[in-house]
Each structure stands twice: as structure tokens, then as C-alpha cells.
Amino acid sequence: EAGVTQFPSHSVIEKGQTVTLRCDPISGHDNLYWYRRVMGKEIKFLLHFVKESKQDESGMPNNRFLAERTGGTYSTLKVQPAELEDSGVYFCASSQGGWNEQFFGPGTRLTVL
Amino acid sequence: DAKTTQPNSMESNEEEPVHLPCNHSTISGTDYIHWYRQLPSQGPEYVIHGLTSNVNNRMASLAIAEDRKSSTLILHRATLRDAAVYYCILRDEGGGTYKYIFGTGTRLKVLA
């Protein structure tokens, strides 16, 4: 069974540009989460989808970040415009039920120059 | 903020048991204790979780203190592949939110 996949694995962009990260959860998992680790700090929660609905977006840092999950399958996280402080590793995770263990993807390393 | 306290780092010899401690003195009745680990260049990986009773699975054992203010993750025979950062996380499963709040974790080094 395929795990959570993320694309791209690494993205290097200039400040002010736009980047879109993609996450494909494990098939059948209704719950999808985004987390990130920036500047060597702890991994921080960004938001939680249940199917296509945003269940909890309390961790989204500001309105430069837009997450979508149209159709309740894969999700995208767009950063527009990117700032230097957005550099870090963005993780996606999915779970069958909200209370189940979360399966994490390998992450996308974002570098903003 | 994370509600757990863990040592920054620990070392273990290969094939010996490892006991990773975690303090969570402010734990509430609906908090489950979850352990994840993160191997180099990978996303976090589920290890084990529990509420009150000790738990065992193929990866590890979780020993939970009677007052639930601390717990210990036990790796019965450490291997080099167990070298990772181990996170002890409390998750409130009474409020409908299932996010994890990660702390700094314990970096485990396994010596050959």
C-alpha cells in the first residue's frame, strides 16, 4: 500500500514568488493534516481537513497561505507571496479517522532565497 | 505549547534496552499519550499510544505511571535503525481536534 506522498521533495524559489506544494494521502483516508518545521524549530500544526472541509485551520500563519482539498482527495498548500521565514520542511499526514494514528509523508523542503 | 518534557538526548548501546522518559505533569483526563519518532530525512512515524494502561506492540512498549504524570517508551533491543528523534505528545481526544503539538523530543543515539 502506498504511503503519503508529497511533491516536490525540494523547492527553491525567490522571495515574492509563489509555490504550490502537493500532498496525496493514503487512499481512503478522510483526514489530512499539514505541519511544518521552520528555522530548526519544532514541528508545528497548520491545518486539518476532513474530506474537503477545513476542520481546524488554527495553525495557518497568515493569509499568504492557502490550503485546498477539492474533491476530498489530494491537497495543495500554496504560499503566495513567499517570504524568507517560510523556508522549512512542510509535512503532510493522513489518517483514517481523526483519532487514528497519522501517517506522515517525507516532507517538502522549501527554500526561499 | 507542548505539554511534555523530555531529555534532549540519550545514548544507548546496540542490542540493549532503552528507556525514554517523558514528563507530563499537567495531563488531563482526556489526553492520550502518543509517541512518534522521526528518522533522518523522513517524516514522523507512529510508534505507540496509550491512555492509562501499559501498552505493547511490535515496535515498543509504553509504561504509564499510575498518576499519568509521566510515561516511558521502552525499546527492548535497540538497533542502529532506531537512531531517531522520539517525540512524546499529549493529544486531547475529548474536544474533537486531532492535531499533534510536537515538542523538541529526545534524540536517541545508538552505539554499535
Side-chain angles (χ1 to χ4, degrees), chain B residues 42-58:
Chain B
Q42 296 187 26
E45 172 189 37
Y46 169 80
V47 178
I48 200 166
H49 78 282
L51 181 62
T52 56
S53 303
N54 294 344
V55 185
N56 299 292
N57 66 20
R58 63 175 180 81

Side-chain angles (χ1 to χ4, degrees), chain A residues 98-102, chain B residues 4 6 22 24 27 30-37 45-51 62 64 68 71 73 86-93 97-102:
Chain A
W99 57 91
N100 294 125
E101 65 185 272
Q102 294 177 18
Chain B
T4 62
Q6 300 177 251
C22 180
H24 28 80
I27 192 169
T30 52
D31 282 335
Y32 276 71
I33 303 161
H34 291 250
W35 283 82
Y36 276 72
R37 70 180 186 180
E45 172 189 37
Y46 169 80
V47 178
I48 200 166
H49 78 282
L51 181 62
L62 176 60
I64 301 173
R68 301 215 315 132
S71 60
L73 179 71
Y86 287 78
Y87 297 98
C88 170
I89 305 168
L90 298 186
R91 190 169 76 172
D92 181 2
E93 301 189 15
T97 177
Y98 298 106
K99 63 187 177 187
Y100 286 123
I101 300 175
F102 287 83

